[in-house]
Amino acid sequence: MDSSTTSQANPAGASAPEGAGQMSIRTRDVDLFYGDFQALFGVSVDIKPNIITSLIGPSGCGKTTLLRSFNRINERYGNVTTRGTIEILGKNIYDADVSLPELRKSVGMVFQRPNPLPISIYENIIFGLRSHTPKPELGRRGDLDDIVESALREVQLWEVTKNRLKDRATTLTLEQQQKLCIARLLPLKPQVILMDEPCSALDADGIERVEELISELRERFTIVMVTHNMGQAKRASDECIYMYLGKIIEHAPTAELFLNPREEQTAMYIEGRYG
Ligand SMILES: Nc1ncnc2c1ncn2[C@@H]1O[C@H](COP(=O)(O)OP(=O)(O)O)[C@@H](O)[C@H]1O
Ligand SMILES: [Mg+2]
């Protein structure tokens, strides 16, 4: 077990129980309802740290719903009831003492369409810090400059943005905007980054470069990515979870799932017989 993982603070700020640290995300028997409609059925899954796990499956099978349950952001999208347990670094995120802002700081999210705020590139990067940090602790201008530079360097945007940090983020290309949306999570030191079809708005070159970036980030974060693109799941992920009708059908290392699926339903899907 990697001791750096067990020593990380969990979303509620308390230390993780002994022995519960090896999985980044651990769910047991999760049922999720939108009103009366059940979208997830008995989902139990263990997601490892420092790899990329892809959620795949036909449209409507619950990929986005499961992803959004990992930082409870789906509660914003309607009348949601969740049963079962979802632990991030050993802490049940549905416990009463969990702070949603803290949870969403440690479990960051990147959406299908890049959604930078209509403010400057610089301000986009420190927006999260500003909203999470009391003013006296925010640091001096020079410290913030360093934070901005290092976040932009990490996503390979520094060279193209260093002379235009005051420009609106929306003047960047879509690929650059999506990289910026990843960069703005980094000052908050997330442990998990959730990505919902992060390349679906990009052209082929943009997809390749953002996939490369995601691959580099896996060294330091747990990444869970929804994709409907099987090529991307094969290229970009270490493990894949195949979902169908709100259930997990199969979870395996990527090569195994594609070359030698255990379940007939998975085989049918990856052969393109449905979905
Ligand atoms: N906010 C919502 N309110 C009601 N039903 C929803 C909502 N979001 C998703 N659903 C339903 O839940 C099911 C799973 O959706 P989703 O998680 O978006 O699937 P996927 O990402 O795999 O396409 C679908 O039947 C969808 O219509
Ligand atoms: Mg979806």
Side-chain angles (χ1 to χ4, degrees):
M1 193 197 302
D2 174 2
S3 63
S4 67
T5 311
T6 47
S7 64
Q8 281 175 319
N10 69 33
S15 59
E18 207 65 42
Q22 77 263 48
M23 286 300 160
S24 196
I25 304 176
R26 180 179 185 275
T27 79
R28 288 297 176 269
D29 306 318
V30 172
D31 296 324
L32 185 145
F33 299 81
Y34 293 109
D36 296 336
F37 175 79
Q38 188 165 1
L40 295 178
F41 296 81
V43 172
S44 296
V45 69
D46 292 323
I47 293 179
K48 300 189 183 87
N50 305 102
I51 65 168
I52 301 174
T53 301
S54 283
L55 299 178
I56 61 171
S59 181
C61 71
K63 303 179 295 297
T64 294
T65 299
L66 180 60
L67 190 80
R68 285 177 176 167
S69 71
F70 296 151
N71 67 356
R72 297 181 51 180
I73 210 158
N74 46 14
E75 293 170 23
R76 282 190 194 161
Y77 298 88
N79 169 20
V80 172
T81 313
T82 309
R83 291 196 303 232
T85 56
I86 300 180
E87 293 173 1
I88 307 281
L89 299 170
K91 172 70 185 173
N92 186 0
I93 63 171
Y94 287 84
D95 281 353
D97 63 349
V98 167
S99 138
L100 286 183
E102 284 301 312
L103 173 64
R104 291 179 188 151
K105 200 166 122 181
S106 66
V107 186
M109 181 132 194
V110 177
F111 296 84
Q112 269 177 290
R113 281 203 68 82
N115 59 347
L117 297 162
I119 52 179
S120 72
I121 294 168
Y122 186 102
E123 289 294 329
N124 262 275
I125 301 288
I126 55 173
F127 185 84
L129 267 189
R130 274 202 208 288
S131 43
H132 281 100
T133 318
K135 213 164 184 188
E137 289 165 34
L138 195 58
R140 293 187 312 266
R141 183 83 196 179
D143 301 334
L144 292 180
D145 290 352
D146 291 345
I147 288 169
V148 169
E149 176 172 344
S150 108
L152 288 169
R153 280 192 188 283
E154 285 199 68
V155 301
Q156 296 133 22
L157 272 187
W158 177 246
E159 291 306 320
V160 291
T161 57
K162 65 183 178 189
N163 295 320
R164 49 181 293 204
L165 294 172
K166 290 190 174 147
D167 288 4
R168 265 182 191 247
T170 43
T171 63
L172 295 168
T173 67
L174 281 177
E175 173 196 331
Q176 292 165 342
Q177 287 185 30
Q178 197 60 309
K179 288 177 170 175
L180 182 77
C181 289
I182 297 173
R184 70 178 172 183
L185 302 176
L186 304 181
L188 298 171
K189 303 194 178 357
Q191 285 142 2
V192 178
I193 301 181
L194 308 174
M195 302 188 175
D196 195 350
E197 306 201 24
C199 297
S200 61
L202 309 181
D203 62 18
D205 286 344
I207 292 173
E208 194 181 327
R209 287 189 292 258
V210 172
E211 279 181 6
E212 272 168 27
L213 169 63
I214 295 170
S215 171
E216 282 165 26
L217 292 172
R218 71 142 84 68
E219 310 265 308
R220 289 180 304 113
F221 305 100
T222 300
I223 296 177
V224 188
M225 176 171 75
V226 168
T227 177
H228 65 252
N229 176 331
M230 299 258 236
Q232 180 167 66
K234 269 194 217 175
R235 281 191 303 273
S237 49
D238 303 288
E239 293 195 358
C240 285
I241 294 172
Y242 173 62
M243 295 180 69
Y244 186 64
L245 295 178
K247 294 185 178 141
I248 290 191
I249 306 297
E250 185 161 351
H251 178 186
T254 301
E256 204 173 302
L257 188 127
F258 280 97
L259 292 174
N260 194 14
R262 284 190 306 271
E263 303 295 329
E264 175 64 16
Q265 275 184 44
T266 317
M268 281 168 61
Y269 180 70
I270 63 182
E271 285 164 17
R273 281 197 262 156
Y274 65 93

